[in-house]
Amino acid sequence: MDKKIDFKDLTMGVCYYPEQWGQSFWESDLERMLDSGIRVIRIGEFAWNKFEPAEGEFTFEFFDEFMNVARKHGMKVIFGTPTATPPAWASENYPEILNATKDGILYRHGSRRHYNYNSPKYIELTKTIVEKLAQHYGHDDAVIGWQIDNELNCELDEFYSESDTVAFREFLKEKYITIDALNEAWGTVFWNQTYNDWNQVYVPRRTPNDSPNPHQVLDYIRFISHSLCRYAGIQSKILRRLISPKQFITTNGIFGNVDNHRLVKESLDFMTFDSYPDFAYALSADPKHSDDLNDRKWSRRLTEVRSLSSNFGVMEQQTGAIGWNTRMEAPMPKPGQITLWSMQSVAHGADYVGFFRWRTSVMGTEIYWHGILDYNNKDNRRLAEVRDISNKFGKISSITGAKYKASFAIVKEYDNIWDARYDVWHRRVEDESEKGWFNASQLAHIPMDYVYITEDATIDTLSKYPLLVYPHATILKKATADLLKAYVENGGTLLMGCRTGYKDESGKCVMRHMTGYAADICGVDLSEYTFVGPADDKVNVLWDDAVLEAAVFNDVLKPICDTVDVIGTYDSNYYKGQPGLTVNSIGKGKAYYFGGAFTGKTAEIFLKKLGIESPFAPFIDAPAESELAIREKEDEKYMFVLNFTDGKIDINLKQPMLDMFTGKQSYGEVELGAFETKVFML
C-alpha cells in the first residue's frame, strides 16, 4: 500500500517555536508568514516542559494562547510530540531513561535525543504526555496533523543503556528461544565466545580494536530498528485512538539503523523528510573536487523517501546557513538556491514543503542554524525568495498528487544496508556502487527508483521495472532469491555485482556456491576473488566494444549451467582473460552477473547496453549539469529542469510546451540562469 501525503494543493509551511519568542511576536510573525504564502506551521516538538513543568502537573495555557492566535489568522498547525527532549526533572529523577556510550557513560541533560527507547519509565512518561496532548488538541480544527518525536535516530543511532541490554535479551529470546540456538547463529565457538546463560548476553560493549562479534552486531542493529519502531508505534496507537481521523500522523527525517518501511507501515500515514543540501558546501567539504554531485546528491535521499511515500512532505527545507556552535559550519545559500532545493524536493514528489525555520534562534546550540529571517527580524533576501517560491507553487499547484516517473530501479534490503555499515569489506564496494549508479542515473538523465524487498514485496512490486540492479546482495536470503528469480522468469532483466550471496541471514559465510542463492539465478560460482589492490593497475572487463571498469573488488566467475554465456572477460591482473561478466537466460528474462563494483561510467554503459534509454530524449536536450524529472498523473506530465550550476545553461526543447512559470509556450533554445528551475507541461 502506498502511504502518501494527501494535500489538495502544493503547500508551504515553516517550523515555528512560540516558546522561544515573547508573545508580542506571535501576531506579527503569523501575519508575515501568511503574507509570504506560508499556510502551515509545525510547533511543539521541543516543548515538553511547557506542558508538564513537573511530573504529573499539566498545563496547556501557554500553547492554548498561541493556538488562539493561530486560529484567529487561519494558520494550520502540525503538532510535534515533544519526546525528543525529555525535561530536566525526568533526566534527573530517572537516569535509567538516558542513553549511554558503548562504555556505559550516560548522556546527560543539556542537549537533545539523550533518551533510550527501551526504558520502561520513559515509555510510561511518553504515553502520558502523548495522551494528554492528543486529548487536548486531537480535535482542534486548526491542527491538521501530528509529528511523532523529532528525527528519530538522529545524533545517536546506537544505544547502550542498561534498559537496552535488558530489552535486547528479550528480543533475542523471542527470536532464538534457546541460548544454544543463539550460539549457533552467532558462531560463538570462534574466539571462545560461547554463552551458557542469557544474563551473559549484552548489547555490544567495548572490545580490543572495537571489533565485537559481527553476527551479534547485525542482530543488535535489527534490535535498534525494532526498538525505534515499537516506540513510535506506542505513540501512534495513542494518537490513532484519540485524535480526529482528519488529522494525519507522520515523522521527519531518514536516519541510520531503522527499517523505515516498517516504521511507515505500522505507525505513519506518510513520511516527511528534512532536506539540507547545503551540507555539500560545508567548510569540512570539498565541493570543487568532489565526485558525488554535491547538493544534487540530495536527490538520492529524496529517492529513498519516494520508496516510502510516492508523494511525501518535507518538514524541514533549508533556508539558511547551517551549524551548531560546536560543529558544522556552512555558508549561506546563494540567491536562487533555496528555490532550487525546494523545487528539487517537489520534482521528486513532495506536495508539502515546510521551511526550517521562521527566524534564526538567538539562543542555544543552533544559533548558526539559520532560518528565513536573521536575528534582527527584518525582511531580507531569503524572505523575498520564499515569497517568490510561493508564487511559483501557485503556478504549478496542479502537480499535486502527480508521481515521479523512473526508468529502472536499484534493489535494496535493510540487512545489507546495515551489514555494509559495519563490515568494511562490504562497505567499500557498496559505497562505490551507490555513488556510481546515482551519478550515472543523474548525468545520463535516466531516472531511477529504489525498490526495497520487504516481507510485503511481491512480483508486482518488481515487474513495473524493465531493469533491476542489485549491486551487492551480500546477504541473500532464499525468499529474496526466489522473488528475483521469478522476476527474471517473467521477463525482467536483473543485474548483480560482485560480493553477492556469500553470507546467510546471520551474516555467516555460506559453504556452498560462493554466490549462495544467486547461483540459482545467475548460474555462476567463483573460481577466485580479490580486492583490486593499491599496487594493481585498473582492472576492466571487456564486453564487445565496451570497456567496463571493474572497480574495488573482482569476482572471477565460473559458469555452472549450460544456459550461461560468458560475455565479458578481465583485461589484466593474474586472472586476465577469465570471465568477469555473464548472462543467464531464465524463462522470458535474463540475469547478468558483473564481477566488480560499479563506477558511474560502468553503470552508464550498462544502461546503454541493456536498452534503458532516457525518457526525456523526445522532449529535450539538456547538459549533464542539469537534473531532469517528470511527474505524471492521468494524462498530465510535468517536466522539471533544475540547473545546479552557478552559471547559465542552455537547453533545447524539441517540441512546443507550456512554461508553467511564465504561462507561455516555449520551444527551441531556452536559457536558464544560475540555480534556476523551469517546469514545463508536456
Side-chain angles (χ1 to χ4, degrees), residues 557-574:
L557 310 181
K558 177 183 177 182
I560 57 174
C561 59
D562 295 339
T563 54
V564 176
D565 292 322
V566 175
I567 57 174
T569 56
Y570 289 106
D571 71 346
S572 64
N573 221 320
Y574 62 88

Side-chain angles (χ1 to χ4, degrees), residues 242-379:
L242 295 173
I243 67 174
S244 165
K246 296 178 182 179
Q247 297 176 347
F248 60 75
I249 300 173
T250 187
T251 193
N252 61 321
I254 293 180
F255 298 95
N257 294 345
V258 55
D259 180 340
N260 287 294
H261 287 74
R262 176 184 168 186
L263 174 63
V264 172
K265 176 185 175 182
E266 293 179 352
S267 300
L268 309 181
D269 292 309
F270 56 87
M271 177 61 80
T272 67
F273 183 59
D274 294 351
S275 188
Y276 291 100
D278 200 32
F279 272 116
Y281 302 106
L283 301 195
S284 58
D286 188 13
K288 287 191 173 183
H289 303 99
S290 70
D291 60 357
D292 61 3
L293 303 186
N294 294 327
D295 52 336
R296 193 169 166 184
K297 69 174 172 282
W298 261 255
S299 291
R300 185 186 67 75
R301 292 165 172 81
L302 292 163
T303 302
E304 290 278 6
V305 188
R306 283 203 328 272
S307 77
L308 299 162
S309 299
S310 60
N311 296 96
F312 56 90
V314 174
M315 194 65 77
E316 298 181 13
Q317 181 72 59
Q318 182 164 7
T319 59
I322 52 176
W324 289 7
N325 69 306
T326 52
R327 63 190 185 101
M328 297 179 288
E329 307 151 286
M332 282 289 177
K334 293 179 170 61
Q337 283 187 316
I338 301 173
T339 305
L340 173 68
W341 297 334
S342 300
M343 292 298 174
Q344 180 184 29
S345 295
V346 175
H348 280 268
D351 286 344
Y352 170 74
V353 175
F355 297 109
F356 189 86
R357 48 188 281 171
W358 174 242
R359 184 171 41 251
T360 308
S361 180
V362 298
M363 67 192 87
T365 304
E366 288 190 339
I367 56 173
Y368 302 123
W369 207 289
H370 290 72
I372 299 171
L373 300 180
D374 295 315
Y375 315 118
N376 63 10
N377 200 35
K378 297 183 182 301
D379 286 8

